[in-house]
Amino acid sequence: MGRSPGNSHSDRVLDVVAKGAPAVSALAASWRRSGHLHALDPATHAPSCRLTAAEIAAARERLGRLLAIAQASLDRLFLAVGGVGCSVLLADADGTVVDRRGARGDDTTFDAWGLWTGAVWSERHEGTNAIGTCLVEKRPLTIDRDQHYLARNARLFCTTAPIFDEHGQLKAALDVSSCRADLTEGFGRLIATTVADAARLIEAENFRQAFPRARIVLTPDSERDINSMLAVDSNDLVIGATRAARRALGLSPSALARPVPAGDLIKGAQAHGDDIDAAERAVLKRALARAGGNVSKAAKELDMSRATLHRKMKRLGLER
């Protein structure tokens, strides 16, 4: 299958790049980055950049835990879209494809189009494309066919979502690409939503595993962003926050260089979190609950006498 749709695409791209007025759309801005910043010729027939096996292994090693966590989501995503001629790609923050899923019968086509492990899909190398432009703009997006900068990519449909690590830094990008001409706009939107959901799932699981002993809580008013999460330790100190949480709470990159009291970040938590009596009352209530209301058993768990526990219960209003 030929990759270039002809010279008309290149002419249109060059016309946009040549205009001196400010870009009126994100797509135009990306085309101009590709032309002015990276000096790419949209009509180029140069082959796509591919890393060596050793370079691919090093890139995979740098992703570490996140790559392992992503495996289940890559498998599920491929089960959903693989049967309709789509390839599932995971790229690192440099745009290098470090893992992929694709139907064996499509391997020759996908390899020829660069939808392959080791291919580099940064804007620097491929111009405007879903993986590279997603990494630049740090948001989910779709680049559909002739929205690509290079004419040789103008038959591809690609939709990508970014994945941020536990420090809120861009770590990877999840992509579904297809070279089928009959992919409808509606089905493309459905794929885009599925990709974004899978990326959030990978990001959330990576965050949980990064703080295995912490309590993971959602920030207030986070119904629209299930990845707006905080990691809170046993002392009620915030020791981690996802990128969504940092943005929701207005946290700077250095804000969590040291643990921060949860009450200082979450409105309404201060009154209870810094109340010593409330904290002690909560400890006693938990012990009594575990003991089924048996005071002697609760006292033993708390390593205090039954009389001491009764005095504390009376002082804290827990006596029945």
Side-chain angles (χ1 to χ4, degrees):
M1 180 185 297
R3 295 183 67 177
S4 175
N7 293 327
S8 60
H9 174 76
S10 301
D11 292 340
R12 184 164 64 93
V13 170
L14 288 173
D15 182 59
V16 171
V17 172
K19 290 179 179 177
V24 296
S25 70
L27 179 63
S30 178
W31 280 5
R32 292 182 186 176
R33 284 194 303 269
S34 303
H36 294 312
L37 180 62
H38 304 305
L40 294 174
D41 177 3
T44 182
H45 293 290
S48 58
C49 178
R50 304 281 182 111
L51 299 190
T52 65
E55 290 170 329
I56 294 169
R60 288 172 61 88
E61 186 175 353
R62 286 192 293 270
L63 274 184
R65 180 184 63 244
L66 191 143
L67 178 60
I69 289 170
Q71 297 304 303
S73 290
L74 291 174
D75 290 340
R76 283 193 297 268
L77 194 52
F78 178 63
L79 284 174
V81 302
V84 291
C86 292
S87 178
V88 179
L89 310 173
L90 181 70
D92 67 9
D94 294 322
T96 300
V97 177
V98 296
D99 205 352
R100 65 172 294 276
R101 301 289 188 275
R104 183 163 305 196
D106 294 328
D107 280 356
T108 300
T109 299
F110 287 153
D111 190 10
W113 284 72
L115 304 176
W116 206 257
T117 305
V120 181
W121 282 91
S122 64
E123 274 197 347
R124 175 189 172 191
H125 288 93
E126 292 289 329
T128 303
N129 71 89
I131 292 176
T133 306
C134 166
L135 292 172
V136 171
E137 300 184 0
K138 299 182 179 180
R139 64 182 179 91
L141 55 80
T142 296
I143 300 296
D144 191 5
R145 301 179 179 90
D146 63 0
Q147 292 179 335
H148 285 83
Y149 181 83
L150 298 185
R152 61 175 167 81
N153 293 328
R155 289 177 180 163
L156 282 173
F157 165 88
C158 307
T159 185
T160 306
I163 300 172
F164 298 90
D165 68 11
E166 64 273 19
H167 306 296
Q169 300 300 310
L170 183 61
K171 191 74 171 179
L174 182 63
D175 172 86
V176 167
S177 291
S178 173
C179 49
R180 289 186 57 150
D182 59 350
L183 190 70
T184 65
E185 182 179 347
F187 192 52
R189 287 196 298 268
L190 180 60
I191 293 175
T193 299
T194 305
V195 170
D197 288 344
R200 285 195 293 265
L201 184 63
I202 294 170
E203 190 174 305
E205 183 58 27
N206 180 68
F207 186 75
R208 293 186 185 96
Q209 290 194 25
F211 302 99
R213 295 182 178 84
R215 185 172 80 254
I216 306 298
V217 300
L218 293 175
T219 60
D221 304 319
S222 61
E223 293 86 353
R224 294 184 179 180
D225 197 336
I226 60 172
N227 272 21
S228 186
M229 300 185 295
L230 300 173
V232 182
D233 70 9
S234 58
N235 296 313
D236 219 32
L237 297 174
V238 175
I239 57 175
T242 62
R243 180 175 187 269
R246 292 166 189 261
R247 297 181 73 182
L249 298 173
L251 300 177
S252 67
S254 61
L256 297 180
R258 295 181 179 179
V260 178
D264 291 357
L265 295 181
I266 304 174
K267 184 179 179 181
Q270 183 86 29
H272 299 292
D274 290 346
D275 186 332
I276 295 177
D277 281 351
E280 189 173 10
R281 186 180 295 109
V283 170
L284 298 190
K285 283 184 175 181
R286 287 196 294 270
L288 288 166
R290 293 190 188 101
N294 187 312
V295 176
S296 297
K297 187 175 179 181
K300 184 177 181 180
E301 178 185 330
L302 294 168
D303 196 25
M304 65 176 66
S305 69
R306 188 173 185 274
T308 299
L309 178 54
H310 268 300
R311 285 196 297 272
K312 287 180 176 292
M313 290 172 62
K314 183 176 181 180
R315 178 175 64 82
L316 295 170
L318 296 178
E319 283 270 279
R320 288 166 292 178

